[in-house]
Amino acid sequence: MKRIDHRRYHWLLLCTFPCLSKINAVYLPLDNQAVVAVLSSESSNAEVGLWDVYQPAWHLPQRASLVGRWPSRRSSAIASLAPGPFREPWARRTNLTGLVVRCYTMESPPTTYLWDNTDGSVNITGIYGELWDALKETLSFTGRCERSPDGTWGTFRDGAWTGMLGQLLKGEGDVALAPLDRTYPRSQVVSFVFDLSREWYVLVIRRPVGSSSMWDNYLREFTPSAWAAVGGFLLVTSLCLVGVTRFSPDETPISLSDAVLVVLASVCYTGTSFAFFSKSNRILILTIFLTSVLVYNFYTTFLISTLTVNKLTLPFENLQELYERRTYSFGFSGGGALDNFFKLSSQPLYRSIWDELILPRPENLKPSWLGLQQVLEERHAYLINELFFRSKYFHCGFVILPGQYFRVPKSWAMRRNSPLFPVLNYHLKALAESGILVKLRRKWLPDLDDCKTTDAQALGLASVMAPFLLLGVTMVLAIVIVLIERRTYKRRLRM
């Protein structure tokens, strides 16, 4: 019995009463798949008791529980006395009293908030903290958690794993209790419990000061196609006006320049000194003015909304534009899954970003608080988990760019082939199915603030500066033209 593999195969151990005391010398780990059948006597009608025997750890005593009875060989029915099938005993192995489960963690709101103790351990709150407490209450074990020694999650570097995963591989911890990205390289060295959530990363930059609408508020509506339509309207109506005045016997012919001035006057909501007498010309003038009313009303409606809503103009909107323009530096928190997401990616863009933006400037692989401080001080873009960012660092000095990157499942990691894994994984699923995970997410997930206000804002000088500058330029131009005309006039008088 000491040589058999209790984990890989299902075993039925047969013995006569009393036999439980005889197998005390055999270590039956927490994940063993053996059932002990104890015969009460050697008679043909003997009752067989089916026992589940396990040890939370090698130094802890065996725990035995009667899980079923087989009354006699004449009956094929087994009376089950405990939950769970015989072949999957994890549901009934809930007495882990005396077991100390060692965990390593990192602070990552809203899943983990850490509070340091004087002995070097930490208390954990948040979604994962309360889930961990519920698991300890269900299984009756004791947990001791510490921070990751090097402050990293775990990545393969220089031939070894760092961070929390490194502690698991060294045998110094049992669980990495943090929202770890479930990646292929990690899954080759540790075991992940079922997926607790799916999260993603976003690009964060400093919120642009002011708005680019300061200069184009009055022209933003006029796209190239709109300008072409207005130009076409001026040209066609001017030519029509010239043609009607020349072919109508009741009209005085006007030049093309005068016709353009008449149409411009109607568009600008002013009158004209020209008089038109024919019905055809008056219909044309009425059509021009009605079209001008529609254009004017549409334009003023757009202008009002433009002046009251401050449009945020972004320097770029995604990683592709960041890489192409090179106007911002780029970084993220190193020592985690993001390292491999970039340098091992099958997409050329991500590998190019790693080779050209990260490797030349490794100092940009900073912890979150330092990277976000750099965002506020420089032209710097930082890639960060959105849920973590909104829970701990978000304020209206930042702006989250459109798009989501590296959507991956998050879960806890455990040592490979750990006897704890099947039991903890089973009861975590049971807790999730009971609804506790949904309740914890509602309790701890942050409220989303889009930094928008519904208060009426007074128009500042920046919003209306462009037309005043245009008026000033035209006034200066008019004065210069007047001076030139006056000088020309005096020169002609002398001549």
Side-chain angles (χ1 to χ4, degrees):
M1 289 180 65
K2 292 183 179 181
R3 294 195 300 267
I4 66 174
D5 188 349
H6 304 91
R7 304 174 181 178
R8 186 175 179 183
Y9 303 107
H10 296 277
W11 291 89
L12 182 66
L13 309 181
L14 303 176
C15 62
T16 57
F17 181 85
C19 76
L20 294 181
S21 58
K22 300 176 183 178
I23 61 174
N24 281 335
V26 179
Y27 173 48
L28 293 173
L30 185 59
D31 59 345
N32 80 82
Q33 300 191 73
V35 175
V36 180
V38 181
L39 284 73
S40 59
S41 69
E42 297 181 359
S43 64
S44 60
N45 294 324
E47 181 181 78
V48 178
L50 301 175
W51 292 79
D52 183 38
V53 184
Y54 65 93
Q55 291 174 249
W58 64 270
H59 62 282
L60 296 176
Q62 288 181 349
R63 317 290 160 88
S65 59
L66 184 63
V67 296
R69 287 192 179 96
W70 188 13
S72 68
R73 70 179 183 178
R74 296 178 182 177
S75 173
S76 60
I78 296 178
S80 179
L81 303 178
F86 293 116
R87 297 176 70 87
E88 293 182 1
W90 323 127
R92 54 182 177 263
R93 295 182 181 177
T94 58
N95 182 11
L96 306 187
T97 305
L99 178 65
V100 178
V101 180
R102 303 162 298 170
C103 80
Y104 283 90
T105 184
M106 285 187 64
E107 187 165 72
S108 180
T111 53
T112 54
Y113 295 88
L114 306 185
W115 308 90
D116 293 307
N117 298 320
T118 56
D119 61 352
S121 64
V122 293
N123 293 328
I124 308 175
T125 58
I127 297 176
Y128 286 2
E130 293 196 21
L131 188 61
W132 178 247
D133 292 339
L135 193 63
K136 289 193 294 184
E137 183 177 355
T138 300
L139 298 179
S140 302
F141 66 84
T142 303
R144 176 183 171 84
C145 295
E146 299 179 9
R147 293 179 182 268
S148 174
D150 59 0
T152 62
W153 301 86
T155 187
F156 191 72
R157 184 179 297 166
D158 299 329
W161 284 87
T162 63
M164 293 181 290
L165 297 187
Q167 298 302 111
L168 297 185
L169 295 176
K170 294 175 185 176
E172 298 179 4
D174 301 303
V175 182
L177 201 156
L180 280 163
D181 291 341
R182 186 171 190 162
T183 63
Y184 178 76
R186 287 175 173 176
S187 63
Q188 299 301 299
V189 294
V190 295
S191 297
F192 285 93
V193 301
F194 82 104
D195 297 343
L196 297 175
S197 64
R198 281 186 174 270
E199 300 175 19
W200 52 85
Y201 295 84
V202 292
L203 269 177
V204 177
I205 62 171
R206 181 177 58 192
R207 183 174 292 273
V209 179
S211 172
S212 63
S213 61
M214 168 180 172
W215 302 108
D216 64 356
N217 272 338
Y218 295 85
L219 301 176
R220 195 190 306 165
E221 182 182 6
F222 289 96
T223 59
S225 58
W227 280 113
V230 172
F233 169 74
L234 293 175
L235 178 61
V236 171
T237 52
S238 299
L239 292 175
C240 289
L241 189 57
V242 171
V244 171
T245 56
R246 289 187 179 182
F247 288 100
S248 177
D250 299 329
E251 297 291 353
T252 302
I254 63 175
S255 63
L256 180 60
S257 60
D258 288 338
V260 171
L261 288 177
V262 171
V263 177
L264 283 176
S266 68
V267 173
C268 297
Y269 254 39
T270 61
T272 176
S273 60
F274 289 95
F276 302 100
F277 303 98
S278 65
K279 291 182 180 179
S280 57
N281 226 346
R282 289 184 176 183
I283 292 174
L284 177 60
I285 292 298
L286 182 61
T287 303
I288 293 173
F289 270 92
L290 288 177
T291 306
S292 300
V293 168
L294 292 177
V295 174
Y296 179 80
N297 288 333
F298 186 77
Y299 173 74
T300 52
T301 302
F302 178 84
L303 182 62
I304 291 172
S305 63
T306 300
L307 294 177
T308 53
V309 178
N310 187 20
K311 181 184 178 183
L312 190 66
T313 302
L314 301 174
F316 53 89
E317 293 191 355
N318 49 51
L319 277 173
Q320 179 73 43
E321 294 181 3
L322 166 68
Y323 172 72
E324 292 173 352
R325 298 181 183 180
R326 309 291 181 96
T327 55
Y328 276 62
S329 57
F330 173 69
F332 52 83
S333 178
L338 282 175
D339 292 13
N340 291 330
F341 285 162
F342 278 97
K343 65 182 178 182
L344 302 179
S345 175
S346 60
Q347 298 189 31
L349 172 63
Y350 296 149
R351 292 201 307 272
S352 299
I353 290 176
W354 176 263
D355 294 334
E356 300 177 30
L357 299 184
I358 297 300
L359 290 182
R361 301 189 64 181
E363 66 275 8
N364 285 337
L365 298 181
K366 297 178 178 179
S368 301
W369 67 276
L370 286 176
L372 293 173
Q373 182 179 351
Q374 186 178 357
V375 167
L376 295 176
E377 295 174 353
E378 305 173 11
R379 295 165 66 90
H380 183 68
Y382 194 78
L383 192 67
I384 189 172
N385 180 280
E386 182 176 14
L387 190 60
F388 170 60
F389 173 68
R390 287 189 179 276
S391 300
K392 188 170 184 178
Y393 295 110
F394 179 78
H395 59 75
C396 290
F398 295 105
V399 60
I400 299 176
L401 300 184
Q404 300 172 351
Y405 304 93
F406 309 121
R407 190 182 183 96
V408 292
K410 299 275 189 177
S411 186
W412 301 353
M414 300 185 64
R415 285 189 296 108
R416 209 154 180 73
N417 299 321
S418 169
L420 280 170
F421 179 80
V423 177
L424 263 62
N425 189 50
Y426 176 88
H427 289 282
L428 273 175
K429 287 183 179 179
L431 287 173
E433 292 171 357
S434 70
I436 187 174
L437 204 53
V438 175
K439 293 180 180 178
L440 292 177
R441 285 177 180 149
R442 290 175 180 172
K443 176 181 178 180
W444 291 97
L445 287 181
D447 295 328
L448 301 182
D449 184 5
D450 56 5
C451 294
K452 294 180 180 178
T453 178
T454 57
D455 299 335
Q457 300 292 328
L459 293 179
L461 178 61
S463 299
V464 295
M465 183 182 296
F468 285 107
L469 289 177
L470 181 60
L471 289 174
V473 171
T474 54
M475 288 175 62
V476 172
L477 182 60
I479 292 173
V480 172
I481 292 175
V482 167
L483 293 177
I484 294 175
E485 289 178 345
R486 183 177 178 85
R487 184 173 181 180
T488 304
Y489 176 74
K490 289 182 177 181
R491 183 179 298 174
R492 287 178 179 177
L493 287 179
R494 287 197 299 268
M495 292 176 64

